[in-house]
């Protein structure tokens, strides 16, 4: 496509009316297409249905009956299975409940209520009129930001570059401000950009000097084995922290939400032995044990880390054609004209991050919505829902069928162009 900016005002106006005609025809179809959240499609969920026939035996390797109370840390065979998968010693893992977001919220809440390692509780800052601050690489996961917002944590956006957060910016901030207590990280196939952290970034996060003794990395490896086009390795953050003399710096989260059933899988938190001891102390007041039958179900279903990876390949085979459709449609519809839009080309994960022309994201999402295509709210991937450039839109290709996705992308591309033309021409024809 020739660059729209090269066209005369007259030609642009003609193009605008043509696009509006097309848009109205799409609108008349009364479609209901949803690309708003990263939900697996039914065919992905079907791959895990045999889980529901398990466990076939409830007796653990050590003879314990999994049907009863107990084993707060999670059954050893489940900690071993995921420990081997992720390269983490089983005794540095606590199995949580049905989803990892819960563990993230609880961990943050524990830090607020009790502090960590003898430091004062983060809630104390409020009593002296100060706030705890957290670094938020942007764009990022809206529910991380929601946790901060709920707890009154001030969010400081930091740039997310191709290989992780902008470490110059991060190091400068954490070195000087004792109220900065941590950073959110989605180190592989990040939501929404698909960024994968380089070894150098992992090293720096582990070793950087922080003004706060109780600085914590919330390492949410939600997409740690979700490779679609290319397998990407990740440096071991827990070992890097230990080697750098900051063994307690990191909490590592993982779940099977995007492996088996979202919200009905198993989750885990991994950390240093001291952190695990501290967390278990808090959790022991919270619950007697998490769902061991679900843990056992997952152990019996998968058996080995290798089988988990084979399952992931089957999921990737279902997701890949959908990512192909989104990328191909963008390529055909927008091409190289980056003034209209540019997008991420992720190697895995669940999302494609689209940047439309500054000031056009909300309008594009609005237009798409009025033509029956629901997208994640513009700005959702930024703290407080505010994208300063009003440019970013998250595309979640997993849930719609391939046919629906192709239709939805055609409409989205139409809306991107209409919003851009409105910006160029300074009008909003009806
Ligand atoms: N972290 C990230 C980065 C996610 O994208 C998601 C799911 N969209 C989650 C966590 C949620 O995981 P869970 O279901 O285990 O709470």
């Amino acid at each position: 496509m020739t660059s729209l900016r090269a066209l005369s005002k007259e030609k642009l106006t003609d193009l605008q009316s043509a696009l509006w005609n097309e848009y109205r025809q799409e609108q008349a179809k009364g479609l209901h297409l949803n690309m708003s959240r990263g939900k697996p499609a039914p065919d992905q969920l079907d791959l895990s249905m045999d889980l529901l026939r398990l466990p076939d035996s409830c007796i653990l390797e050590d003879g314990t009956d999994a049907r009863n109370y107990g084993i707060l840390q999670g059954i050893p065979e489940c900690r071993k299975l995921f420990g081997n998968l992720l390269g983490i010693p089983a005794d540095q893992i606590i199995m949580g409940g049905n989803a990892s977001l819960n563990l993230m919220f609880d961990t943050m809440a524990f830090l607020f209520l009790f502090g960590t390692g003898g430091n004062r509780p983060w809630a104390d800052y409020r009593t002296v009129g100060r706030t705890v601050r957290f670094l938020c690489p942007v764009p990022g996961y809206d529910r991380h930001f929601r946790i901060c917002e709920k707890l009154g944590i001030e969010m400081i956006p930091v740039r997310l570059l191709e290989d992780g957060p902008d470490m110059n910016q991060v190091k400068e901030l954490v070195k000087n401000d004792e109220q900065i207590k941590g950073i959110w990280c989605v180190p592989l196939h990040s939501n929404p950009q698909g960024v994968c952290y380089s070894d150098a970034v992992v090293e720096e996060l582990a070793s950087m000097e922080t003004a706060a003794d109780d600085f914590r990395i919330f390492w949410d490896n939600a997409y740690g084995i979700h490779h679609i086009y290319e397998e990407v390795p990740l440096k071991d953050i827990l070992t890097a922290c230990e080697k750098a003399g900051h063994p307690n710096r990191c909490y590592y989260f993982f779940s099977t939400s995007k492996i088996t059933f979202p919200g009905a899988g198993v989750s885990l938190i991994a950390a240093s032995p001291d952190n695990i001891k501290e967390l278990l102390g808090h959790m022991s007041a919270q619950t007697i044990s998490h769902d061991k039958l679900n843990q056992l179900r997952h152990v019996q279903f998968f058996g080995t880390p290798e089988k988990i990876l084979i399952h992931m390949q089957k999921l990737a085979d279902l997701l890949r054609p959908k990512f192909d459709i989104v990328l191909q449609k963008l390529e055909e519809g927008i091409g190289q004209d980056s003034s209209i839009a540019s997008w991420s080309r992720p190697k895995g994960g669940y999302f494609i991050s689209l940047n439309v022309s500054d000031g056009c994201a909300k309008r594009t999402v609005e237009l798409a919505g009025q033509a029956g295509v629901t997208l994640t709210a513009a700005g959702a991937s930024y703290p407080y829902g505010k994208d300063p450039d009003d440019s970013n839109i998250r595309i979640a290709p997993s849930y719609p069928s391939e046919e629906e996705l192709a239709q939805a992308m055609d409409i989205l591309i139409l809306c991107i162009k209409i919003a851009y033309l409105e910006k160029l021409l300074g009008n909003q024809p009806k």
Side-chain angles (χ1 to χ4, degrees):
M1 172 175 196
T2 39
S3 172
L4 291 181
R5 273 186 308 188
L7 299 180
S8 66
K9 188 164 178 192
E10 204 183 359
K11 285 226 164 91
L12 287 176
T13 313
D14 288 349
L15 180 61
Q16 191 174 39
S17 339
L19 291 175
W20 268 103
N21 281 339
E22 239 184 283
Y23 178 79
R24 290 205 186 90
Q25 281 167 23
E26 292 296 340
Q27 238 181 349
K29 292 181 187 162
L31 298 170
H32 293 285
L33 306 168
N34 196 320
M35 293 198 291
S36 68
R37 295 230 65 102
K39 292 203 309 190
D43 57 0
Q44 290 175 263
L45 302 175
D46 286 346
L47 293 179
S48 296
M49 284 306 286
D50 283 349
L51 258 180
L52 303 182
R53 280 187 262 280
L54 297 168
D56 49 19
S57 152
C58 297
I59 305 303
L60 302 182
E61 278 164 15
D62 68 0
T64 308
D65 187 341
R67 294 172 302 180
N68 223 321
Y69 273 139
I71 321 190
L72 177 62
Q73 194 167 349
I75 65 170
E77 37 272 75
C78 197
R79 290 189 283 113
K80 208 160 76 190
L81 174 65
F82 288 101
N84 287 340
L85 176 75
L86 301 169
I88 302 170
D91 55 4
Q92 280 179 244
I93 290 177
I94 301 171
M95 298 309 302
N98 61 312
S100 59
L101 201 65
N102 232 227
L103 284 171
M104 295 176 220
F105 185 94
D106 282 350
T107 305
M108 198 71 96
F110 292 154
L111 290 161
F112 257 74
L113 288 169
F114 312 117
T116 180
N119 292 286
R120 61 178 166 165
W122 292 358
D124 280 9
Y125 282 79
R126 278 199 209 143
T127 58
V128 289
R130 293 163 75 200
T131 50
V132 163
R133 304 193 173 112
F134 240 71
L135 300 186
C136 301
V138 290
Y141 180 38
D142 53 350
R143 292 184 193 274
H144 288 161
F145 304 154
R146 181 84 187 95
I147 291 177
C148 285
E149 208 173 337
K150 189 76 193 163
L151 291 168
I153 298 173
E154 184 186 333
M155 290 178 266
I156 303 178
V158 296
R159 284 180 296 273
L160 188 59
L161 307 178
E162 269 179 22
D163 61 346
D166 179 341
M167 287 310 297
N168 290 332
Q169 198 187 357
V170 169
K171 284 191 291 187
E172 195 55 32
L173 283 162
V174 299
K175 192 171 67 178
N176 296 310
D177 186 347
E178 190 265 333
Q179 282 165 257
I180 298 180
K181 294 295 187 191
I183 182 169
W184 286 106
C185 294
V186 181
L188 273 184
H189 310 303
S190 74
N191 175 354
Q193 275 183 313
V195 165
C196 296
Y197 287 25
S198 66
D199 289 3
V201 166
V202 176
E203 285 281 355
E204 283 190 292
L205 283 165
S207 61
M208 67 191 178
E209 187 192 328
T210 62
D213 279 343
D214 48 357
F215 181 90
R216 292 291 176 265
I217 299 170
F218 274 56
W219 195 252
D220 178 5
N221 201 13
Y223 301 107
I225 53 169
H226 299 58
H227 313 297
I228 295 177
Y229 292 106
E230 192 181 322
E231 199 176 321
V232 186
L234 176 66
K235 196 173 171 67
D236 173 358
I237 182 90
L238 291 171
T239 304
C241 285
E242 196 190 332
K243 280 196 180 145
H246 307 122
N248 301 327
R249 180 171 283 186
C250 179
Y251 297 115
Y252 184 132
F253 303 91
F254 185 79
S255 83
T256 64
S257 277
K258 303 278 174 70
I259 300 175
T260 57
F261 299 129
V266 291
S267 66
L268 66 84
I269 179 168
S272 69
D274 282 349
N275 279 343
I276 291 292
K277 194 167 161 220
E278 198 175 75
L279 287 166
L280 284 173
H282 303 321
M283 278 183 189
S284 65
Q286 204 179 31
T287 184
I288 301 172
S289 49
H290 289 108
D291 183 348
K292 292 192 297 299
L293 293 175
N294 205 25
Q295 293 167 21
L296 189 55
R297 201 173 278 136
H298 279 74
V299 169
Q300 291 178 1
F301 181 64
F302 286 121
T304 63
E306 291 72 29
K307 289 204 179 133
I308 300 180
L309 296 178
I310 291 169
H311 181 86
M312 294 314 293
Q313 281 169 15
K314 292 184 193 157
L315 290 174
D317 290 343
L318 294 172
L319 284 170
R320 199 175 304 107
K322 296 186 175 179
F323 277 72
D324 286 347
I325 288 171
V326 173
L327 294 168
Q328 208 175 320
K329 288 277 182 192
L330 287 168
E331 205 62 56
E332 287 165 9
I334 312 272
Q336 302 303 314
D337 194 346
S338 61
S339 57
I340 307 181
S342 57
W343 53 92
S344 60
R345 291 167 182 82
K347 298 188 173 94
Y350 252 72
F351 304 98
I352 288 165
S353 178
L354 172 71
N355 277 319
V356 295
S357 188
D358 285 359
C360 291
K362 277 204 182 97
R363 179 65 178 146
T364 304
V365 170
E366 179 188 44
L367 284 164
Q370 287 167 3
V373 176
T374 308
L375 294 161
T376 313
S381 300
Y382 289 76
Y384 312 105
K386 286 192 190 127
D387 171 1
D389 299 324
D390 184 28
S391 158
N392 187 256
I393 296 173
R394 186 180 77 166
I395 300 179
S398 55
Y399 192 75
S401 68
E402 289 175 34
E403 195 192 347
E404 288 171 332
L405 193 60
Q407 273 182 317
M409 283 308 296
D410 286 338
I411 295 173
L412 173 60
I413 287 163
L414 197 54
C415 299
I416 294 171
K417 289 181 187 166
I418 292 177
Y420 180 63
L421 280 178
E422 284 177 0
K423 178 178 149 175
L424 283 188
L425 291 163
N427 64 4
Q428 271 196 19
K430 291 288 156 200

